[in-house]
Amino acid sequence: MCNWRNLLVVTLTLMGGVYGAFAGPMIQDLDWSCVSPTYAIAGDFNGDGWDDIAIACHSCDSIFVGLNPTGTPCPVAWGDPKVFGLGDSPTALAWGLFGRGVGPYTKKIVAVTQYRPGWSAFTVTSSASLSALNAVTAIHVIVGDFNGDGSLDVAVLDPLGLKVTFPTGGIADIDLSDQNPGAPAFMAAGDFDRDADLDLVISSGTSLLFYENDGCGGFTRRLNIRVGLSLRGIAVGDFDGDADEDLAVVDPKFGALAIIRNDGCWNFTISAKIKMDKGPVFVLAFDCDRDGDLDLAVAEYDGNSVSMALNSGMGSFSIRHRFAVGKNPVGLDVGDFDRNGIPDLVIALHGGGPEGEGPAAQVIYNPCCATDDCTKQAPCCGEGTSAPASCGGS
């Protein structure tokens, strides 16, 4: 079990956006002794109405959960993280509301581990324990109702066993071995054919592998799309407003962010490739500037930076902001940690954690917002400018 210390450093870093006049946001260090962070998720894990943070700590076999103290202005005064020991190295996280039938339903964090492949689903008021996976290893996990029974299922990507397995039961494994998949790295769910069932897409070597859901959790390979050289993170969302779910995928070897337009009926087009030569490994879709269009945040591992590709409408993206962050950003998620109605980012930093090696994670407050709706001032952009906990009017 690793030792960790209660030290939270707030950095008030004013960084102008390199692609235009933009007062940089506040970037807050979370100096938790989480060794080799690999993944970050955000959400209201304890049901108090405020978004929390969970970090997978690969090399101390633990999940660190920072519970939001609530009611505090930006920056949030994060306290000691709760530590959930797993006894093996976690690689990825997800979370959701688990239950069946009329309930009760419970918010749980889901983790998968690498060497003695296992999975865990736990609440922040309980302890965590591993259940063995029928897998060679596990590098990614997502949750969703894949068989249409109204309950969340867990899907785990096993790149060495060349399969996707569903440990919650009732869904057959997806065999990837006949697809010449290269190196499966990441998966995402989306209703790509608008039939109300969650389909799957997997980044694997040069290609995206698409699997169609028959509505009962039976998956059939639909198509492969060759996109790059060594694909990693995927984001799914309707980028162009046509009600079909599009995709973005990053390729650190080729040095690009690719935008994949869904034309409907399982027809996809690579609509753009945006140069990103600092090792892009993770991409996240959310409406950063709150204009109604989904934007993209990209973690660039080698460049120690997070870039914002803003959507100008109809799925046309351009890099507008780039933020210098800690060492080796490897994962991103979005939450409104100060509950001011403006999205914030949390970043897992694979090169940080232990004392002297930089923060394990960072929070970027309001990364695309130049003016707060409540105060009409730049939110969290400099010393002495804090967003209020609530708005007293327009």
Side-chain angles (χ1 to χ4, degrees):
M1 188 69 176
C2 62
N3 294 320
W4 50 275
R5 58 198 167 92
N6 175 24
L7 176 62
L8 182 151
V9 179
V10 177
T11 57
L12 306 179
T13 307
L14 296 178
M15 301 177 297
V18 296
Y19 295 93
F22 177 73
M26 174 179 285
I27 299 181
Q28 178 186 39
D29 292 354
L30 299 182
D31 256 350
W32 300 338
S33 290
C34 168
V35 185
S36 300
T38 54
Y39 214 89
I41 57 172
D44 180 12
F45 305 140
N46 60 359
D48 64 0
W50 293 74
D51 283 338
D52 312 302
I53 291 170
I55 307 291
C57 305
H58 180 272
S59 295
C60 61
D61 299 349
S62 301
I63 308 300
F64 280 25
V65 178
L67 294 177
N68 197 316
T70 77
T72 61
C74 170
V76 174
W78 300 97
D80 294 347
K82 298 188 71 171
V83 180
F84 296 85
L86 295 176
D88 192 25
S89 298
T91 53
L93 302 172
W95 76 282
L97 192 63
F98 286 82
R100 190 174 297 274
V102 295
Y105 287 82
T106 306
K107 292 183 177 182
K108 293 183 179 181
I109 295 172
V110 178
V112 292
T113 64
Q114 181 175 12
Y115 298 109
R116 292 183 292 110
W119 73 289
S120 180
F122 60 93
T123 71
V124 295
T125 58
S126 67
S127 59
S129 60
L130 277 180
S131 298
L133 280 169
N134 179 25
V136 181
T137 190
I139 64 165
H140 197 223
V141 61
I142 59 175
V143 299
D145 180 8
F146 298 113
N147 59 3
D149 66 356
S151 300
L152 284 182
D153 308 297
V154 174
V156 179
L157 181 60
D158 175 4
L160 297 183
L162 292 177
K163 66 182 178 181
V164 177
T165 188
F166 298 85
T168 43
I171 302 176
D173 292 350
I174 301 174
D175 182 8
L176 307 178
S177 62
D178 63 342
Q179 305 306 321
N180 190 25
F186 199 94
M187 63 180 171
D191 182 10
F192 299 117
D193 50 10
R194 289 201 286 176
D195 63 355
D197 303 314
L198 282 178
D199 310 301
L200 287 176
V201 59
I202 298 166
S203 63
S204 187
T206 62
S207 300
L208 291 175
L209 315 178
F210 288 84
Y211 290 85
E212 182 180 6
N213 190 341
D214 66 6
C216 298
F219 289 91
T220 303
R221 186 185 67 85
R222 186 66 192 229
L223 74 159
N224 296 4
I225 300 176
R226 187 164 182 172
V227 178
L229 295 177
S230 182
L231 305 182
R232 291 288 297 275
I234 305 168
V236 173
D238 179 11
F239 302 145
D240 53 11
D242 65 355
D244 290 312
E245 291 198 295
D246 311 299
L247 302 98
V249 61
V250 286
D251 184 346
K253 189 172 182 179
F254 189 70
L257 164 68
I259 310 300
I260 318 296
R261 186 179 68 242
N262 185 349
D263 298 316
C265 299
W266 291 102
N267 293 309
F268 294 87
T269 305
I270 302 174
S271 62
K273 286 189 176 180
I274 300 171
K275 176 180 170 61
M276 304 192 80
D277 57 5
K278 301 296 184 182
V281 294
F282 199 100
V283 58
L284 175 72
F286 71 109
D287 185 5
C288 186
D289 55 7
R290 298 182 301 161
D291 65 353
D293 298 312
L294 286 176
D295 309 299
L296 298 169
V298 180
E300 295 187 86
Y301 185 91
D302 298 326
N304 299 331
S305 60
V306 171
S307 295
M308 292 303 314
L310 298 191
N311 188 344
S312 59
M314 300 302 293
S316 177
F317 292 90
S318 59
I319 305 297
R320 297 292 299 276
H321 313 302
R322 179 169 287 136
F323 307 121
V325 297
K327 189 176 180 181
N328 304 137
V330 72
L332 302 168
D333 207 358
V334 63
D336 182 8
F337 303 117
D338 51 1
R339 212 163 71 167
N340 66 346
I342 305 173
D344 312 308
L345 282 176
V346 59
I347 310 154
L349 299 167
H350 188 64
E355 186 172 1
E357 296 186 21
Q362 288 176 310
V363 175
I364 303 180
Y365 290 93
N366 317 311
C368 296
C369 186
T371 304
D372 184 278
D373 284 347
C374 305
T375 65
K376 308 304 179 185
Q377 297 177 356
C380 300
C381 289
E383 192 169 2
T385 57
S386 294
S390 61
C391 301
S394 59

